[in-house]
Amino acid sequence: MDSTFSFLGLVILVVELVGVYSAVHAILFTRTSQGAIAWAFPLVLFPFAAVPLYWVFGGKKFEGYVCARREGELRLKHITEELSQYSEEFTSGLEHPVDDLKVVEKLAALPFTKHNQVELLVDGPDTFAAIFAGIQSAQDYILIQFFIIHDDEIGRELQKHLLAKLKAGVRVYFLYDGIGCYKLPNEYLRVLIDAGAKVSSFRNSTGWRTRFQLNFRNHRKIVLVDGRSAYVGGHNVGDEYMGRSQRFGHWRDTHVKLTGPAVQCVQLSFIEDWYCATHEAPKLVWAPRSDADGDKDTIVIASGPADELETCSLFFVQAIHSARRRLWITSPYFVPDAQVIAALQLAALRGVDVRILLPEKPDHLLVYLSGFSFIEEAEPAGVKFYRYQPGFLHQKVMLVDDQFAAVGTANLDNRSFRLNFEITIAALDEEFAAEVAAMLETDFANSRLTGADELCARPWWFKVAVQVSRLMAPVQ
């Protein structure tokens, strides 16, 4: 009996010491002081529960991501250097009133390029019609990358198009997020592999440290054909994105089709992820080609937890600070950090028309609850909030004044800022901005104005749930 108690005492002591070590680690390396405090106390007081949670969810950087720009295969490093130094034939001069967008170039580590065409794809039917048409036109290779893929009607249609191109001798590289696609049957992937596709999960990184980094996810959605066209935006592969969900009904989302020299910048994002997962670098087309009808200055911002800087949040902050007349942002999730909240408040205070469009129907309860507290914080400065009514709003779009618009995969939340690998296509072009403005005006017409008074009208237990949810914002 005494030996049993001695053993249990030793186990408790070891776990307590590990908890103290983890708390010190959290204080030294957690992204924010609030996050450090939120982790440190549970790690010391409740180490049995907190220690495993911390080492799964508390990491600051995605360890093991082989960034081709710095450490990858030599050929990929050359590609990155060449893309970052496009010739004058493809590089935008950026002789615009918004010269501070050169900061965005530094964040992206890539330049604005010219002679691009950016086409808005509104909602699932238009998006997947364009993607499938692009796949059908492929002659050499197809790159596929999604966060979520379902084995449902639209998922099997994608598989059918890929199988047809594989049969025709086109190469297919298929990358999926291991967490987002946890429901995807192995048989779905086996069919593609047997037909000759190269298939990999982004969770295939080697090394013991990466096995527990489940909180980092690859949230990018990319289809790229022959190095000539790319499709990027909010849609994953699932019937709900086609508006077939009984729970959500109409699914409001936005994608873009991109042609021109910026396509190679999207391709670089894919190849870095592919290299991280497989340590292979397939032969692709890297020579940029202008779109004959393209006149849009475009930049590709690929961001993620392997970046030296917090690229995604800094991009939002810079774009918000650059707004002079209007700033319209749509996101399914509103869990911003302090610097983004401050930037939104300042923009509203200097007279900018700041509007945030959110869904009426939640799909993630904690994120939905947290959003109420941030609305309460931002609204007094003049930030206006809207709730989309016809169905679920999932698009990630930003419009700044009359000339800068962005569409991508990044939400206005901590997960996109610091935990997810994201990609955004931004264009400095009045015509494209006008198209985005018209699209968003329709969305606002289908929305209702909301505000902090809605939280005041809720019962006490709902208000408590909101504040508790906000405490968990760093891992949402």
Side-chain angles (χ1 to χ4, degrees), residues 109-161:
L110 291 168
F112 274 88
T113 59
K114 56 187 176 183
H115 305 311
N116 296 288
Q117 187 62 264
V118 187
E119 177 186 347
L120 271 181
L121 301 171
V122 180
D123 291 335
D126 285 350
T127 295
F128 284 101
I131 288 174
F132 294 154
I135 290 174
Q136 288 172 354
S137 71
Q139 300 296 316
D140 186 1
Y141 62 86
I142 301 166
L143 311 180
I144 299 283
Q145 178 178 14
F146 283 99
F147 175 60
I148 295 173
I149 301 170
H150 291 315
D151 184 15
D152 54 16
E153 184 178 344
I154 193 67
R156 288 187 288 274
E157 190 173 354
L158 171 64
Q159 184 190 61
K160 180 185 70 174
H161 283 287

Short mmCIF file of all heavy atoms in Angstrom, two decimals, residues 109-161:
data_model
loop_
_atom_site.label_atom_id
_atom_site.label_comp_id
_atom_site.label_asym_id
_atom_site.label_seq_id
_atom_site.Cartn_x
_atom_site.Cartn_y
_atom_site.Cartn_z
N ALA A 109 5.83 39.21 -49.37
CA ALA A 109 7.16 38.82 -49.90
C ALA A 109 7.07 38.57 -51.40
O ALA A 109 7.87 37.82 -51.96
CB ALA A 109 7.71 37.59 -49.18
N LEU A 110 6.09 39.20 -52.03
CA LEU A 110 5.89 39.12 -53.48
C LEU A 110 5.35 40.47 -53.95
O LEU A 110 4.72 41.19 -53.18
CB LEU A 110 4.88 38.01 -53.83
CG LEU A 110 5.33 36.56 -53.61
CD1 LEU A 110 4.15 35.62 -53.72
CD2 LEU A 110 6.42 36.18 -54.60
N PRO A 111 5.55 40.81 -55.22
CA PRO A 111 5.10 42.12 -55.70
C PRO A 111 3.66 42.10 -56.22
O PRO A 111 3.10 41.04 -56.50
CB PRO A 111 6.06 42.39 -56.85
CG PRO A 111 6.32 41.03 -57.42
CD PRO A 111 6.35 40.09 -56.23
N PHE A 112 3.07 43.27 -56.31
CA PHE A 112 1.88 43.43 -57.15
C PHE A 112 2.31 43.17 -58.59
O PHE A 112 3.35 43.66 -59.03
CB PHE A 112 1.32 44.85 -57.05
CG PHE A 112 0.37 45.08 -55.91
CD1 PHE A 112 0.86 45.47 -54.67
CD2 PHE A 112 -0.99 44.92 -56.09
CE1 PHE A 112 -0.01 45.70 -53.62
CE2 PHE A 112 -1.87 45.15 -55.04
CZ PHE A 112 -1.38 45.54 -53.79
N THR A 113 1.52 42.40 -59.31
CA THR A 113 1.79 42.18 -60.73
C THR A 113 0.67 42.78 -61.57
O THR A 113 -0.46 42.93 -61.10
CB THR A 113 1.93 40.68 -61.05
OG1 THR A 113 0.72 40.00 -60.68
CG2 THR A 113 3.10 40.06 -60.31
N LYS A 114 0.99 43.10 -62.82
CA LYS A 114 0.00 43.70 -63.72
C LYS A 114 -0.40 42.70 -64.80
O LYS A 114 0.10 41.59 -64.85
CB LYS A 114 0.55 44.97 -64.34
CG LYS A 114 1.87 44.82 -65.10
CD LYS A 114 2.41 46.17 -65.52
CE LYS A 114 3.76 46.05 -66.21
NZ LYS A 114 4.32 47.37 -66.56
N HIS A 115 -1.34 43.11 -65.64
CA HIS A 115 -1.84 42.28 -66.74
C HIS A 115 -2.54 41.01 -66.22
O HIS A 115 -2.43 39.95 -66.82
CB HIS A 115 -0.71 41.89 -67.70
CG HIS A 115 0.06 43.05 -68.24
ND1 HIS A 115 -0.56 44.15 -68.79
CD2 HIS A 115 1.39 43.29 -68.31
CE1 HIS A 115 0.36 45.02 -69.19
NE2 HIS A 115 1.55 44.53 -68.90
N ASN A 116 -3.25 41.16 -65.08
CA ASN A 116 -4.05 40.06 -64.53
C ASN A 116 -5.53 40.31 -64.79
O ASN A 116 -5.98 41.45 -64.90
CB ASN A 116 -3.83 39.93 -63.02
CG ASN A 116 -2.40 39.57 -62.67
OD1 ASN A 116 -1.96 38.45 -62.89
ND2 ASN A 116 -1.68 40.53 -62.11
N GLN A 117 -6.27 39.22 -64.84
CA GLN A 117 -7.73 39.29 -64.87
C GLN A 117 -8.25 38.58 -63.62
O GLN A 117 -7.82 37.47 -63.30
CB GLN A 117 -8.29 38.62 -66.12
CG GLN A 117 -9.79 38.80 -66.30
CD GLN A 117 -10.18 40.25 -66.45
OE1 GLN A 117 -10.56 40.90 -65.49
NE2 GLN A 117 -10.06 40.78 -67.66
N VAL A 118 -9.14 39.25 -62.89
CA VAL A 118 -9.74 38.68 -61.68
C VAL A 118 -11.25 38.69 -61.87
O VAL A 118 -11.86 39.76 -61.98
CB VAL A 118 -9.35 39.48 -60.43
CG1 VAL A 118 -9.85 38.75 -59.18
CG2 VAL A 118 -7.84 39.68 -60.35
N GLU A 119 -11.84 37.51 -61.91
CA GLU A 119 -13.28 37.37 -62.16
C GLU A 119 -13.99 36.91 -60.89
O GLU A 119 -13.63 35.90 -60.29
CB GLU A 119 -13.52 36.36 -63.27
CG GLU A 119 -14.98 36.09 -63.58
CD GLU A 119 -15.18 34.98 -64.59
OE1 GLU A 119 -14.19 34.57 -65.24
OE2 GLU A 119 -16.33 34.49 -64.73
N LEU A 120 -15.01 37.67 -60.47
CA LEU A 120 -15.80 37.28 -59.30
C LEU A 120 -16.66 36.06 -59.62
O LEU A 120 -17.31 36.00 -60.66
CB LEU A 120 -16.71 38.43 -58.87
CG LEU A 120 -16.18 39.46 -57.88
CD1 LEU A 120 -17.26 40.49 -57.59
CD2 LEU A 120 -15.71 38.81 -56.59
N LEU A 121 -16.67 35.11 -58.69
CA LEU A 121 -17.53 33.93 -58.80
C LEU A 121 -18.41 33.91 -57.56
O LEU A 121 -17.95 33.65 -56.45
CB LEU A 121 -16.68 32.66 -58.89
CG LEU A 121 -15.71 32.59 -60.07
CD1 LEU A 121 -14.78 31.40 -59.94
CD2 LEU A 121 -16.48 32.52 -61.39
N VAL A 122 -19.68 34.21 -57.74
CA VAL A 122 -20.61 34.38 -56.62
C VAL A 122 -21.40 33.11 -56.40
O VAL A 122 -22.14 32.66 -57.29
CB VAL A 122 -21.56 35.58 -56.88
CG1 VAL A 122 -22.52 35.74 -55.71
CG2 VAL A 122 -20.76 36.85 -57.09
N ASP A 123 -21.20 32.51 -55.23
CA ASP A 123 -21.91 31.31 -54.78
C ASP A 123 -21.44 30.04 -55.49
O ASP A 123 -20.71 30.08 -56.49
CB ASP A 123 -23.42 31.49 -54.89
CG ASP A 123 -23.94 32.52 -53.88
OD1 ASP A 123 -23.27 32.72 -52.84
OD2 ASP A 123 -25.01 33.11 -54.11
N GLY A 124 -21.90 28.91 -54.94
CA GLY A 124 -21.39 27.61 -55.35
C GLY A 124 -21.59 27.22 -56.80
O GLY A 124 -20.63 26.77 -57.45
N PRO A 125 -22.80 27.36 -57.35
CA PRO A 125 -23.00 26.93 -58.73
C PRO A 125 -22.05 27.60 -59.72
O PRO A 125 -21.44 26.92 -60.56
CB PRO A 125 -24.46 27.30 -59.01
CG PRO A 125 -25.12 27.20 -57.66
CD PRO A 125 -24.09 27.70 -56.70
N ASP A 126 -21.88 28.92 -59.64
CA ASP A 126 -20.96 29.62 -60.54
C ASP A 126 -19.51 29.22 -60.28
O ASP A 126 -18.72 29.05 -61.21
CB ASP A 126 -21.11 31.13 -60.39
CG ASP A 126 -22.37 31.67 -61.04
OD1 ASP A 126 -23.02 30.90 -61.78
OD2 ASP A 126 -22.70 32.85 -60.82
N THR A 127 -19.18 29.06 -59.00
CA THR A 127 -17.80 28.72 -58.65
C THR A 127 -17.40 27.36 -59.20
O THR A 127 -16.36 27.21 -59.86
CB THR A 127 -17.60 28.76 -57.13
OG1 THR A 127 -17.78 30.10 -56.66
CG2 THR A 127 -16.22 28.25 -56.73
N PHE A 128 -18.21 26.36 -58.93
CA PHE A 128 -17.82 25.02 -59.36
C PHE A 128 -17.99 24.82 -60.86
O PHE A 128 -17.26 24.02 -61.46
CB PHE A 128 -18.59 23.96 -58.55
CG PHE A 128 -18.04 23.80 -57.16
CD1 PHE A 128 -18.67 24.39 -56.08
CD2 PHE A 128 -16.87 23.10 -56.95
CE1 PHE A 128 -18.14 24.26 -54.80
CE2 PHE A 128 -16.33 22.96 -55.68
CZ PHE A 128 -16.97 23.55 -54.60
N ALA A 129 -18.91 25.57 -61.48
CA ALA A 129 -19.00 25.52 -62.94
C ALA A 129 -17.69 26.03 -63.54
O ALA A 129 -17.16 25.44 -64.50
CB ALA A 129 -20.18 26.35 -63.43
N ALA A 130 -17.14 27.11 -62.97
CA ALA A 130 -15.88 27.66 -63.48
C ALA A 130 -14.72 26.72 -63.18
O ALA A 130 -13.85 26.50 -64.04
CB ALA A 130 -15.63 29.02 -62.85
N ILE A 131 -14.69 26.14 -61.98
CA ILE A 131 -13.61 25.21 -61.62
C ILE A 131 -13.63 23.99 -62.53
O ILE A 131 -12.58 23.56 -63.05
CB ILE A 131 -13.73 24.81 -60.15
CG1 ILE A 131 -13.34 25.98 -59.24
CG2 ILE A 131 -12.85 23.59 -59.85
CD1 ILE A 131 -13.56 25.72 -57.76
N PHE A 132 -14.80 23.42 -62.76
CA PHE A 132 -14.88 22.22 -63.60
C PHE A 132 -14.52 22.53 -65.05
O PHE A 132 -13.89 21.71 -65.73
CB PHE A 132 -16.26 21.59 -63.49
CG PHE A 132 -16.57 21.02 -62.12
CD1 PHE A 132 -17.87 20.90 -61.67
CD2 PHE A 132 -15.54 20.61 -61.28
CE1 PHE A 132 -18.15 20.38 -60.42
CE2 PHE A 132 -15.80 20.09 -60.02
CZ PHE A 132 -17.12 19.98 -59.59
N ALA A 133 -14.91 23.71 -65.52
CA ALA A 133 -14.52 24.11 -66.88
C ALA A 133 -13.01 24.25 -66.97
O ALA A 133 -12.39 23.85 -67.97
CB ALA A 133 -15.20 25.43 -67.26
N GLY A 134 -12.41 24.80 -65.93
CA GLY A 134 -10.96 24.91 -65.91
C GLY A 134 -10.29 23.55 -65.91
O GLY A 134 -9.31 23.33 -66.64
N ILE A 135 -10.80 22.63 -65.10
CA ILE A 135 -10.23 21.28 -65.05
C ILE A 135 -10.35 20.60 -66.41
O ILE A 135 -9.41 19.94 -66.88
CB ILE A 135 -10.94 20.45 -63.95
CG1 ILE A 135 -10.55 20.98 -62.56
CG2 ILE A 135 -10.61 18.96 -64.08
CD1 ILE A 135 -11.29 20.33 -61.42
N GLN A 136 -11.49 20.76 -67.07
CA GLN A 136 -11.68 20.14 -68.37
C GLN A 136 -10.70 20.67 -69.41
O GLN A 136 -10.35 19.98 -70.37
CB GLN A 136 -13.12 20.37 -68.84
CG GLN A 136 -14.15 19.56 -68.07
CD GLN A 136 -15.59 19.94 -68.42
OE1 GLN A 136 -15.83 20.88 -69.15
NE2 GLN A 136 -16.54 19.18 -67.89
N SER A 137 -10.23 21.92 -69.23
CA SER A 137 -9.32 22.52 -70.21
C SER A 137 -7.86 22.12 -69.96
O SER A 137 -6.99 22.43 -70.78
CB SER A 137 -9.43 24.04 -70.16
OG SER A 137 -8.85 24.56 -68.96
N ALA A 138 -7.58 21.42 -68.86
CA ALA A 138 -6.20 21.11 -68.48
C ALA A 138 -5.52 20.23 -69.53
O ALA A 138 -6.09 19.25 -70.02
CB ALA A 138 -6.17 20.42 -67.12
N GLN A 139 -4.27 20.57 -69.83
CA GLN A 139 -3.46 19.80 -70.77
C GLN A 139 -2.24 19.16 -70.11
O GLN A 139 -1.75 18.13 -70.58
CB GLN A 139 -2.98 20.71 -71.90
CG GLN A 139 -4.09 21.35 -72.70
CD GLN A 139 -4.93 20.33 -73.46
OE1 GLN A 139 -4.39 19.40 -74.07
NE2 GLN A 139 -6.24 20.49 -73.40
N ASP A 140 -1.75 19.74 -69.02
CA ASP A 140 -0.52 19.27 -68.41
C ASP A 140 -0.73 18.81 -66.97
O ASP A 140 -0.46 17.66 -66.62
CB ASP A 140 0.52 20.39 -68.46
CG ASP A 140 1.90 19.94 -67.97
OD1 ASP A 140 2.06 18.76 -67.61
OD2 ASP A 140 2.81 20.79 -67.92
N TYR A 141 -1.24 19.72 -66.09
CA TYR A 141 -1.39 19.34 -64.68
C TYR A 141 -2.50 20.14 -64.02
O TYR A 141 -2.89 21.22 -64.47
CB TYR A 141 -0.07 19.50 -63.91
CG TYR A 141 0.46 20.92 -63.86
CD1 TYR A 141 0.04 21.82 -62.86
CD2 TYR A 141 1.41 21.36 -64.78
CE1 TYR A 141 0.55 23.10 -62.81
CE2 TYR A 141 1.92 22.65 -64.72
CZ TYR A 141 1.49 23.52 -63.73
OH TYR A 141 1.99 24.80 -63.68
N ILE A 142 -2.98 19.58 -62.91
CA ILE A 142 -4.01 20.22 -62.08
C ILE A 142 -3.55 20.14 -60.63
O ILE A 142 -3.16 19.07 -60.16
CB ILE A 142 -5.38 19.51 -62.23
CG1 ILE A 142 -5.85 19.52 -63.68
CG2 ILE A 142 -6.42 20.16 -61.31
CD1 ILE A 142 -7.00 18.56 -63.95
N LEU A 143 -3.60 21.26 -59.93
CA LEU A 143 -3.29 21.31 -58.51
C LEU A 143 -4.59 21.53 -57.74
O LEU A 143 -5.33 22.47 -58.03
CB LEU A 143 -2.31 22.44 -58.20
CG LEU A 143 -1.05 22.53 -59.07
CD1 LEU A 143 -0.19 23.70 -58.63
CD2 LEU A 143 -0.26 21.22 -59.04
N ILE A 144 -4.86 20.67 -56.78
CA ILE A 144 -6.10 20.74 -56.00
C ILE A 144 -5.73 20.84 -54.53
O ILE A 144 -4.96 20.04 -54.01
CB ILE A 144 -6.97 19.48 -56.20
CG1 ILE A 144 -7.36 19.32 -57.67
CG2 ILE A 144 -8.21 19.51 -55.30
CD1 ILE A 144 -8.46 20.24 -58.12
N GLN A 145 -6.31 21.81 -53.83
CA GLN A 145 -6.06 21.95 -52.39
C GLN A 145 -7.31 22.50 -51.73
O GLN A 145 -7.78 23.58 -52.07
CB GLN A 145 -4.88 22.88 -52.13
CG GLN A 145 -4.58 23.12 -50.67
CD GLN A 145 -3.37 24.01 -50.46
OE1 GLN A 145 -2.89 24.67 -51.38
NE2 GLN A 145 -2.86 24.05 -49.24
N PHE A 146 -7.86 21.74 -50.75
CA PHE A 146 -9.03 22.19 -50.02
C PHE A 146 -8.90 21.83 -48.54
O PHE A 146 -8.27 20.84 -48.19
CB PHE A 146 -10.32 21.57 -50.58
CG PHE A 146 -10.79 22.20 -51.86
CD1 PHE A 146 -10.52 21.60 -53.08
CD2 PHE A 146 -11.50 23.39 -51.84
CE1 PHE A 146 -10.95 22.18 -54.27
CE2 PHE A 146 -11.94 23.97 -53.02
CZ PHE A 146 -11.67 23.37 -54.24
N PHE A 147 -9.55 22.65 -47.72
CA PHE A 147 -9.61 22.38 -46.29
C PHE A 147 -10.60 21.26 -45.99
O PHE A 147 -10.33 20.36 -45.20
CB PHE A 147 -10.00 23.66 -45.54
CG PHE A 147 -10.20 23.47 -44.06
CD1 PHE A 147 -9.18 23.01 -43.26
CD2 PHE A 147 -11.42 23.76 -43.47
CE1 PHE A 147 -9.36 22.83 -41.89
CE2 PHE A 147 -11.62 23.59 -42.11
CZ PHE A 147 -10.59 23.13 -41.32
N ILE A 148 -11.76 21.31 -46.64
CA ILE A 148 -12.81 20.30 -46.45
C ILE A 148 -13.21 19.73 -47.80
O ILE A 148 -13.45 20.48 -48.75
CB ILE A 148 -14.05 20.90 -45.76
CG1 ILE A 148 -13.72 21.36 -44.33
CG2 ILE A 148 -15.20 19.89 -45.73
CD1 ILE A 148 -14.86 22.12 -43.67
N ILE A 149 -13.28 18.42 -47.87
CA ILE A 149 -13.80 17.73 -49.06
C ILE A 149 -14.74 16.64 -48.56
O ILE A 149 -14.38 15.83 -47.69
CB ILE A 149 -12.68 17.09 -49.90
CG1 ILE A 149 -11.68 18.16 -50.36
CG2 ILE A 149 -13.25 16.36 -51.11
CD1 ILE A 149 -10.42 17.60 -50.99
N HIS A 150 -15.95 16.63 -49.09
CA HIS A 150 -16.93 15.60 -48.71
C HIS A 150 -17.12 14.61 -49.85
O HIS A 150 -17.03 14.98 -51.03
CB HIS A 150 -18.28 16.24 -48.36
CG HIS A 150 -18.28 17.05 -47.11
ND1 HIS A 150 -17.69 16.62 -45.94
CD2 HIS A 150 -18.79 18.29 -46.83
CE1 HIS A 150 -17.86 17.53 -45.00
NE2 HIS A 150 -18.51 18.56 -45.52
N ASP A 151 -17.42 13.41 -49.48
CA ASP A 151 -17.78 12.38 -50.47
C ASP A 151 -19.28 12.44 -50.70
O ASP A 151 -20.03 11.53 -50.34
CB ASP A 151 -17.35 11.00 -49.97
CG ASP A 151 -17.60 9.91 -51.00
OD1 ASP A 151 -17.82 10.23 -52.18
OD2 ASP A 151 -17.60 8.72 -50.61
N ASP A 152 -19.73 13.55 -51.29
CA ASP A 152 -21.14 13.75 -51.58
C ASP A 152 -21.30 14.06 -53.06
O ASP A 152 -20.38 13.80 -53.85
CB ASP A 152 -21.74 14.85 -50.69
CG ASP A 152 -20.95 16.16 -50.77
OD1 ASP A 152 -20.15 16.33 -51.73
OD2 ASP A 152 -21.14 17.03 -49.90
N GLU A 153 -22.40 14.63 -53.45
CA GLU A 153 -22.67 14.84 -54.88
C GLU A 153 -21.59 15.71 -55.54
O GLU A 153 -21.03 15.34 -56.57
CB GLU A 153 -24.05 15.47 -55.06
CG GLU A 153 -24.45 15.65 -56.52
CD GLU A 153 -25.84 16.22 -56.70
OE1 GLU A 153 -26.62 16.20 -55.72
OE2 GLU A 153 -26.15 16.69 -57.81
N ILE A 154 -21.28 16.87 -54.94
CA ILE A 154 -20.29 17.76 -55.57
C ILE A 154 -18.89 17.17 -55.42
O ILE A 154 -18.03 17.33 -56.30
CB ILE A 154 -20.37 19.18 -54.97
CG1 ILE A 154 -19.59 20.17 -55.83
CG2 ILE A 154 -19.87 19.20 -53.54
CD1 ILE A 154 -20.17 20.40 -57.19
N GLY A 155 -18.64 16.46 -54.32
CA GLY A 155 -17.34 15.82 -54.14
C GLY A 155 -17.09 14.74 -55.17
O GLY A 155 -15.98 14.62 -55.72
N ARG A 156 -18.11 13.96 -55.45
CA ARG A 156 -17.95 12.90 -56.46
C ARG A 156 -17.88 13.48 -57.87
O ARG A 156 -17.24 12.90 -58.75
CB ARG A 156 -19.11 11.90 -56.33
CG ARG A 156 -18.99 11.02 -55.08
CD ARG A 156 -20.03 9.92 -55.06
NE ARG A 156 -21.37 10.45 -54.80
CZ ARG A 156 -21.88 10.66 -53.59
NH1 ARG A 156 -21.16 10.40 -52.52
NH2 ARG A 156 -23.11 11.12 -53.43
N GLU A 157 -18.52 14.64 -58.07
CA GLU A 157 -18.41 15.28 -59.38
C GLU A 157 -16.98 15.77 -59.60
O GLU A 157 -16.43 15.63 -60.70
CB GLU A 157 -19.40 16.44 -59.49
CG GLU A 157 -19.51 17.00 -60.90
CD GLU A 157 -20.62 18.03 -61.04
OE1 GLU A 157 -21.40 18.23 -60.09
OE2 GLU A 157 -20.71 18.63 -62.13
N LEU A 158 -16.37 16.33 -58.56
CA LEU A 158 -14.97 16.73 -58.65
C LEU A 158 -14.10 15.51 -58.95
O LEU A 158 -13.23 15.55 -59.84
CB LEU A 158 -14.51 17.38 -57.34
CG LEU A 158 -13.01 17.66 -57.21
CD1 LEU A 158 -12.56 18.68 -58.25
CD2 LEU A 158 -12.67 18.13 -55.80
N GLN A 159 -14.33 14.44 -58.24
CA GLN A 159 -13.56 13.22 -58.46
C GLN A 159 -13.71 12.72 -59.90
O GLN A 159 -12.73 12.32 -60.54
CB GLN A 159 -14.03 12.14 -57.48
CG GLN A 159 -13.25 10.85 -57.53
CD GLN A 159 -13.92 9.76 -56.70
OE1 GLN A 159 -15.05 9.38 -56.98
NE2 GLN A 159 -13.23 9.28 -55.68
N LYS A 160 -14.92 12.77 -60.42
CA LYS A 160 -15.18 12.31 -61.79
C LYS A 160 -14.39 13.14 -62.81
O LYS A 160 -13.78 12.58 -63.73
CB LYS A 160 -16.68 12.41 -62.10
CG LYS A 160 -17.07 11.94 -63.50
CD LYS A 160 -18.55 12.18 -63.77
CE LYS A 160 -18.84 13.67 -63.90
NZ LYS A 160 -20.26 13.93 -64.31
N HIS A 161 -14.37 14.46 -62.63
CA HIS A 161 -13.62 15.32 -63.56
C HIS A 161 -12.13 15.03 -63.48
O HIS A 161 -11.44 15.01 -64.51
CB HIS A 161 -13.90 16.79 -63.25
CG HIS A 161 -15.22 17.28 -63.73
ND1 HIS A 161 -15.50 17.51 -65.06
CD2 HIS A 161 -16.36 17.59 -63.07
CE1 HIS A 161 -16.73 17.96 -65.20
NE2 HIS A 161 -17.28 18.01 -64.00
#
